Amino acid sequence: MSEYAISIAILGVLPSLILFGMAAIEGTRGRGPSPMRVMAWTFMLGYALKSLYLAYAVDRDAPFTTDWLSRDIIDLGQLATLLFVGTFVAGYILSTLYFEGRPPRVPRPKPVRMDMTGIYWGVFALSCGLMIIFFVKMDFIDQLVNLRFAAAKQFIQEETGVASSLGFLTVGADILLIFFAYRLANAPMPRLWDIHLLALYFSSLCFMLSSRRSGVLIIMILLVLVVAAARARSVPANKPRRWSRWARGAIGAGFAFLLLAFVGQVRTDGETAARDIDIVRAVETTAGHIFEGAYFLDPAKVSVIISETRRRGDYLLGSSIGAVIFTPIPRVIWPEKPVIRIGPYVGQELLGYNNRSGAPPGAVGELYMNFGWGGIVAGGLIFGLLLGHGWARFRASDATSQPIVRYVLTVMFVLFCLNVDFGFAILTLIKYVAAASIASAYWRHRRTAPAPGRSAINPRRHRVPLAQ
């Protein structure tokens, strides 16, 4: 193996080693999904494995999406990523030292006097209705009846011919996900026929049939974090575990990979009968897509972004974030709506794609596109301070559902920024916070002021104490 390939492999695993080492020094095992552990797993699965493949590709002349642009400068993106991780750790340490002797003041939630039952279930029903409309508009009924799956990614309006992904309807799935997260944090694991779980099943089915791999992955990650945080509040830290965290992580990653493999085959083949689905072929296709494509924390993609942005001198200066204000307007209402996501610009202008698809820049790439090297340093510090503060508040709070979900949403926001783009992260966080405000008020009211004819929830029957 050449020295260049060896350097790519070393630089690829270094961020994960740093983050896992910091997590071990911090000693937070059994206290919930700490930021260092979450970031370490994120970089190992989304960055280290990709870097090892790139080292192999450079040495053996194997393909990857940006090879003709980045083959000789992959280490540039890796050094930028290492700089980001270093400043993230610095920001996290500063936040930890600040709160070490002065735990953050966590306001005690006030009782909700207004009965939120009608509002909660009304929003729940509206969200289910939005997903049903999405299901019908995308013509998924015929697919299920005939058991022939097609890559239905867009809805074509017959009158105007305008194509739309109907993303405004999938807001219902975001609301249902947050409602289910609060359901998990407030009560025991639901039965298979629980209405919250059934609604989430339906949302996941819609995402799979529409080839939205990211939607399926988001649901899985958020729920894993909520369950891990809730379990940490109810299970003693010194209790022996049947499975090591490495085994659980491997099993979870393997299940997610197989699920994405199915979605990937539906997306790739265009139309596939259920009896013709080939799992082996699906796994091979998905593995090739993940390792060869410019997704997640791809250092080759970051290298091209830095090189092209520096060559052109065309820094965005924050404009990639400002366009988020237009997102709530559906394209079927405003066909001339400007492109909101920065992915198409990155894919077509910087990476040289010859199609309409895009490539999310990720936090490192987008920070450089906006503010250069200073943006990477400042962004890493800010993310470290943000997660350090969120973790301190989570540990200082009482064992209620509100701190659990609030901390998980903070972590998810950082993960969205890291792997996708800031616009998507900000918009998704706004939707999540709006849904969380309704769910939190509903569960707090249910705890303190049960509706007439219904007894108060008995905390002894719940694995996790309820919101005060």
Side-chain angles (χ1 to χ4, degrees), residues 181-378:
Y182 270 91
R183 166 69 176 78
L184 276 180
N186 277 283
M189 290 296 291
R191 299 181 184 275
L192 293 178
W193 52 85
D194 180 88
I195 189 171
H196 290 85
L197 189 57
L198 292 175
L200 197 64
Y201 285 153
F202 182 68
S203 299
S204 302
L205 177 64
C206 290
F207 283 145
M208 286 191 289
L209 293 178
S210 60
S211 301
R212 298 175 185 232
R213 288 172 292 210
S214 60
V216 178
L217 198 58
I218 287 170
I219 291 174
M220 296 178 64
I221 293 175
L222 190 145
L223 296 184
V224 165
L225 290 175
V226 170
V227 171
R231 178 178 172 80
R233 290 300 181 88
S234 60
V235 178
N238 57 357
K239 182 178 179 179
R241 300 168 184 258
R242 278 183 203 175
W243 299 85
S244 70
R245 61 181 182 275
W246 290 97
R248 293 195 301 270
I251 293 172
F255 177 76
F257 185 83
L258 289 175
L259 186 60
L260 294 180
F262 167 77
V263 180
Q265 188 175 38
V266 171
R267 181 189 183 111
T268 303
D269 291 344
E271 184 172 339
T272 305
R275 63 178 180 275
D276 296 332
I277 292 179
D278 187 346
I279 296 299
V280 175
R281 183 186 170 203
V283 168
E284 292 176 351
T285 302
T286 302
H289 183 81
I290 291 175
F291 289 110
E292 297 176 11
Y295 299 101
F296 303 112
L297 302 167
D298 179 19
K301 173 184 62 180
V302 175
S303 299
V304 178
I305 290 175
I306 293 176
S307 176
E308 287 296 306
T309 303
R310 184 169 54 187
R311 182 180 66 83
R312 303 180 183 197
D314 187 16
Y315 294 92
L316 301 180
L317 302 178
S319 62
S320 66
I321 304 173
V324 178
I325 60 175
F326 299 114
T327 304
I329 305 175
R331 195 171 294 277
V332 294
I333 297 177
W334 184 16
E336 294 80 18
K337 184 176 75 170
V339 177
I340 307 300
R341 302 285 298 279
I342 195 175
Y345 170 79
V346 173
Q348 297 164 24
E349 298 294 330
L350 301 184
L351 303 185
Y353 287 3
N354 294 322
N355 50 42
R356 298 180 60 185
S357 63
V364 180
E366 190 166 1
L367 285 170
Y368 188 90
M369 290 171 64
N370 281 278
F371 307 110
W373 291 104
I376 294 177
V377 172

Side-chain angles (χ1 to χ4, degrees), residues 32-65:
S34 71
M36 282 298 172
R37 293 197 185 280
V38 173
M39 292 288 285
W41 279 101
T42 300
F43 272 86
M44 187 182 76
L45 297 175
Y47 180 79
L49 295 179
K50 180 60 182 284
S51 295
L52 293 176
Y53 173 78
L54 289 174
Y56 167 82
V58 168
D59 188 65
R60 300 297 177 89
D61 200 26
F64 58 97
T65 299

Side-chain angles (χ1 to χ4, degrees), residues 96-169:
T96 302
L97 293 176
Y98 177 81
F99 290 115
E100 192 173 90
R102 55 180 90 177
R105 188 180 71 85
V106 181
R108 189 177 183 83
K110 297 180 180 179
V112 179
R113 302 188 183 281
M114 178 180 176
D115 188 356
M116 298 294 296
T117 303
I119 296 177
Y120 178 87
W121 289 110
V123 173
F124 183 91
L126 176 62
S127 302
C128 291
L130 290 176
M131 294 308 298
I132 291 173
I133 294 174
F134 177 80
F135 187 86
V136 174
K137 288 287 187 181
M138 299 295 279
D139 200 27
F140 292 150
I141 296 178
D142 290 341
Q143 292 190 34
L144 291 179
V145 171
N146 300 320
L147 290 180
R148 299 191 64 87
F149 304 109
K153 304 172 190 176
Q154 290 184 321
F155 165 72
I156 308 297
Q157 197 171 29
E158 295 181 359
E159 296 81 4
T160 61
V162 175
S164 172
S165 62
L166 300 181
F168 64 97
L169 293 177

Side-chain angles (χ1 to χ4, degrees), residues 7 42 316 400 429 452:
S7 68
T42 300
L316 301 180
T400 63
L429 182 65

